[in-house]
Amino acid sequence: MKLNTQGVNNRAQWESAGYRLPEFDREAVAGRTKQQPVWVHFGAGNLFRAYQANAVQKLLNENVMDRGLIVAEGYDYEIIEKMNRPHDDYTILVTLKADGTVEKTVIGSIVESLALDSENDTDYLRLKEIFCQETLQMASFTITEKGYSLKNGKKETLPDVEKDFKNGPDRPSSYIGKVTSLLYERYRNGKYPIALVSMDNCSHNGDKLYAAVCAFAEHWMQNGLTDRGFWEYVCNADCVSFPWTMIDKITPRPDAAIEADLRKDGVEDLEAVVTAKHTYAALFVNAEECEYLVIEDAFPNGRPKLEKAGFLFTTRETVEQAEKMKVCTCLNPLHTTLAVFGCLLGFTSIAEEMKDPALRKLVEAVGYTEGLPVVVHPGIIDPKEFIDTVLNVRFPNPFMPDTPQRIATDTSQKLAVRFGETIKAYENDGRLRVSDLKKIPLVFAGWLRYLTGVDDRGNAFELSPDPLLSAVCPYVMKAEQNGGADTEALRPILSDARIFGVNLYEAGLAECVCSYFTEMCKGPGAVRAVLDRYCL
């Protein structure tokens, strides 16, 4: 079975193998989309293919929408060249349910794919045409938080961005520079309104996108490359809006076991593509069933009826509450907890960790006992029910190939939000005491112990990528000497509010963290002993 237009037209073959197929006239949808586009998405990755593309397919099947998606890839053009186009923009979504059932769906809602490459005259001209259409209501993004950054870690403007600031909107090379140049074309050809919707998993994502786009508009105006009207257009929410969103769906890297299953079904050309930029792309994506997308309802040119696909439209304040609920309490801190200790204890599956009594008790305490008391209820999602689903359905799902090693990536960049916000909430709540927090300091100590690069059996392991490894590991290695007794060596880390959100000495938690760390450095089996002692 080949995944392309000709192959999918043999519906009986796919359906007999258990695949759900598009139920709409794809050729007609593609024609309408080409003439009157509604939605273009930047970022051709797994999350987009598993969530947004699947949602639009549902609405096309139900005749709620009559136009499909256009996807543009602005980072790794090989994804379009080597994955989208050879398969006529079809993809396979494999939904891995907690009850053990697997749902396989051929997604056909993506009807055009383009490289966001200003040196590719054909694709870039087509994108300009799309942005000049009055019918275009939204451009959405899943380009990771790094995609919105215009500066490096030293707060220096990135070279491509600096060049684009000076050269203007003609042939920009930076990601946001290219997006802003398309927006400039829309301004020049009608000043039509549009919503630019970040759907990346980061706090206040709409503001991050706004700040980046506005920076280009302002520099171009100041350098005499565009008029003041364009900058005013970008800054006017009635013309260009930047809604906040909260998204949640786990889409791990395509799994070899899933590939083998598809191969048994007769699906061809399953070999993954590894691009020059080290992107791993396959014609299928595996994902969990649970999904949440909360969106600030700010669409100056209207929007599709995406609420019929389960998207939750609300106010900016509610989006912020939902995002904070997830990131600071009900999901992300629990993920990080399992990541740190999973690496130390030799686990390679989040689901397997949830079978460990001590680890399960630990994440329950981090979520229910220490986190839930300071959560602001967002109204549209119940926090306790959210944690219930995370701990009883999502994390224990044995069919989700998610690993602690993947989640441990960039942990130093996550702790301040995932745990620091809870600590600050305790500090600001007269009814609660920071000293009552016992499990969050245990996670911090576990992270420090993880940074030694030696697991609980005494074997070396590879630390997941993290920009601060070279900065923090020397302090940890010094502290770890003599069985972790030299905890004063940890002071530069524990006092760094950029890492933990607060200075742990000032918060009164440093001593507790150091005590746990010392106990976990006493030799093989010490991490397990600490978890059993304090969690069971």
Side-chain angles (χ1 to χ4, degrees):
M1 300 188 298
K2 284 190 173 294
L3 188 68
N4 55 29
T5 299
Q6 183 177 354
V8 174
N9 282 341
N10 188 347
R11 297 183 65 90
Q13 188 178 28
W14 287 88
E15 289 173 344
S16 64
Y19 289 75
R20 295 183 176 186
L21 297 177
E23 299 170 11
F24 53 90
D25 185 334
R26 191 170 188 247
E27 184 177 351
V29 167
R32 285 191 293 269
T33 304
K34 188 174 183 65
Q35 295 300 318
Q36 296 183 317
V38 168
W39 183 356
V40 61
H41 182 87
F42 293 98
N46 289 338
L47 178 60
F48 162 69
R49 295 160 66 201
Y51 199 171
Q52 291 89 342
N54 187 40
V56 171
Q57 172 137 315
K58 291 176 184 176
L59 298 184
L60 287 168
N61 287 342
E62 297 168 4
N63 294 316
V64 175
M65 290 182 67
D66 65 358
R67 278 161 286 183
L69 280 161
I70 300 166
V71 67
E73 174 57 41
Y75 172 71
D76 196 335
Y77 310 136
E78 284 188 72
I79 296 174
I80 300 298
E81 298 164 4
K82 296 183 177 180
M83 190 53 61
N84 281 72
R85 289 177 178 167
H87 300 290
D88 295 331
D89 292 319
Y90 281 104
T91 192
I92 295 173
L93 169 60
V94 181
T95 304
L96 308 169
K97 301 185 178 182
D99 64 3
T101 59
V102 176
E103 185 178 277
K104 303 170 187 175
T105 307
V106 173
I107 303 294
S109 59
I110 304 166
V111 295
E112 187 174 6
S113 56
L114 300 159
L116 178 62
D117 178 5
S118 61
E119 299 300 321
N120 182 329
D121 291 337
T122 301
D123 283 17
Y124 206 60
L125 178 60
R126 173 60 185 145
L127 281 165
K128 287 182 177 181
E129 291 175 351
I130 291 167
F131 265 75
C132 289
Q133 294 294 317
E134 184 177 4
T135 56
L136 185 65
Q137 295 177 326
M138 60 187 290
S140 56
F141 301 78
T142 50
I143 61 175
T144 77
E145 186 172 2
K146 296 176 183 177
Y148 309 112
S149 178
L150 307 186
K151 297 180 182 294
N152 61 21
K154 298 179 180 179
K155 305 300 181 183
E156 301 165 334
T157 302
L158 296 169
D160 281 352
V161 173
E162 188 69 45
K163 183 180 69 173
D164 290 347
F165 281 168
K166 294 177 180 178
N167 294 340
D170 185 24
R171 286 187 182 270
S173 54
S174 64
Y175 206 125
I176 300 299
K178 290 179 285 189
V179 170
T180 309
S181 75
L182 297 177
L183 193 60
Y184 181 58
E185 287 298 310
R186 187 170 183 81
Y187 164 77
R188 291 175 59 205
N189 291 272
K191 301 181 176 66
Y192 302 125
I194 189 173
L196 300 188
V197 190
S198 170
M199 295 181 177
D200 277 298
N201 185 19
C202 56
S203 179
H204 300 176
N205 46 20
D207 281 358
K208 288 180 169 61
L209 178 56
Y210 168 76
V213 172
C214 191
F216 275 93
E218 185 172 5
H219 277 83
W220 289 346
M221 175 185 67
Q222 291 173 346
N223 292 333
L225 300 165
T226 60
D227 59 24
R228 182 179 179 84
F230 177 56
W231 176 77
E232 292 174 342
Y233 169 75
V234 169
C235 296
N236 184 348
D238 292 330
C239 297
V240 184
S241 67
F242 297 83
W244 291 8
T245 68
M246 185 282 279
I247 192 165
D248 181 23
K249 186 176 181 71
I250 300 173
T251 55
R253 175 175 169 168
D255 186 63
I258 304 300
E259 178 184 330
D261 188 35
L262 299 184
R263 199 178 300 279
K264 287 181 183 177
D265 291 339
V267 179
E268 302 176 42
D269 304 321
L270 280 163
E271 293 75 17
V273 170
V274 181
T275 71
K277 291 188 174 181
H278 308 293
T279 303
Y280 184 98
L283 61 76
F284 71 95
V285 54
N286 38 242
E288 66 171 339
E289 182 179 14
C290 291
E291 56 191 21
Y292 304 86
L293 181 50
V294 184
I295 307 178
E296 178 189 358
D297 201 354
F299 291 79
N301 200 30
R303 60 171 175 78
K305 295 180 180 178
L306 296 169
E307 63 272 18
K308 293 185 179 294
F311 292 13
L312 301 170
F313 290 91
T314 184
T315 64
R316 172 169 289 199
E317 180 183 20
T318 301
V319 173
E320 181 172 31
Q321 291 170 348
E323 189 266 340
K324 194 170 184 179
M325 175 204 76
K326 178 187 80 112
V327 173
C328 302
T329 306
C330 299
L331 174 67
N332 295 26
L334 314 185
H335 240 166
T336 292
T337 299
L338 292 174
V340 167
F341 285 105
C343 292
L344 285 170
L345 296 175
F347 285 99
T348 57
S349 162
I350 293 296
E352 285 301 312
E353 286 191 76
M354 290 301 293
K355 297 177 183 178
D356 186 291
L359 290 177
R360 184 175 183 96
K361 289 288 187 181
L362 176 58
V363 290
E364 287 176 346
V366 170
Y368 291 121
T369 306
E370 298 190 350
L372 204 55
V374 295
V375 171
V376 176
H377 197 307
I380 56 174
I381 302 173
D382 181 82
K384 183 180 181 303
E385 291 178 3
F386 191 94
I387 299 181
D388 289 344
T389 302
V390 166
L391 296 182
N392 298 320
V393 178
R394 302 176 69 182
F395 285 0
N397 185 344
F399 305 97
M400 276 296 292
D402 211 3
T403 68
Q405 291 74 22
R406 179 188 77 86
I407 299 162
T409 300
D410 297 340
T411 298
S412 72
Q413 308 299 292
K414 301 171 180 176
L415 297 173
V417 173
R418 299 188 177 192
F419 299 96
E421 291 302 310
T422 294
I423 296 171
K424 287 187 278 189
Y426 269 71
E427 289 178 327
N428 295 326
D429 191 316
R431 303 165 300 168
L432 300 170
R433 297 181 302 176
V434 176
S435 59
D436 288 337
L437 296 174
K438 302 299 182 185
K439 299 304 185 291
I440 289 177
L442 179 56
V443 178
F444 291 164
W447 176 61
L448 296 172
R449 174 63 180 79
Y450 158 89
L451 291 174
T452 66
V454 177
D455 67 19
D456 199 34
R457 295 180 179 177
N459 300 318
F461 66 91
E462 183 178 356
L463 298 176
S464 299
D466 189 309
L468 287 189
L469 289 182
S470 61
V472 298
C473 285
Y475 296 115
V476 173
M477 299 308 294
K478 182 178 180 181
E480 188 263 345
Q481 294 173 1
N482 300 318
D486 186 13
T487 55
E488 184 61 24
L490 297 173
R491 183 173 289 274
I493 303 175
L494 300 182
S495 61
D496 193 339
R498 293 172 299 178
I499 295 177
F500 298 102
V502 297
N503 180 322
L504 293 181
Y505 289 95
E506 295 176 355
L509 294 175
E511 183 179 349
C512 184
V513 173
C514 290
S515 176
Y516 287 138
F517 174 77
T518 299
E519 288 189 59
M520 285 190 280
C521 290
K522 290 184 176 179
V527 175
R528 168 57 66 189
V530 167
L531 287 171
D532 289 349
R533 182 179 305 122
Y534 295 107
C535 297
L536 293 180

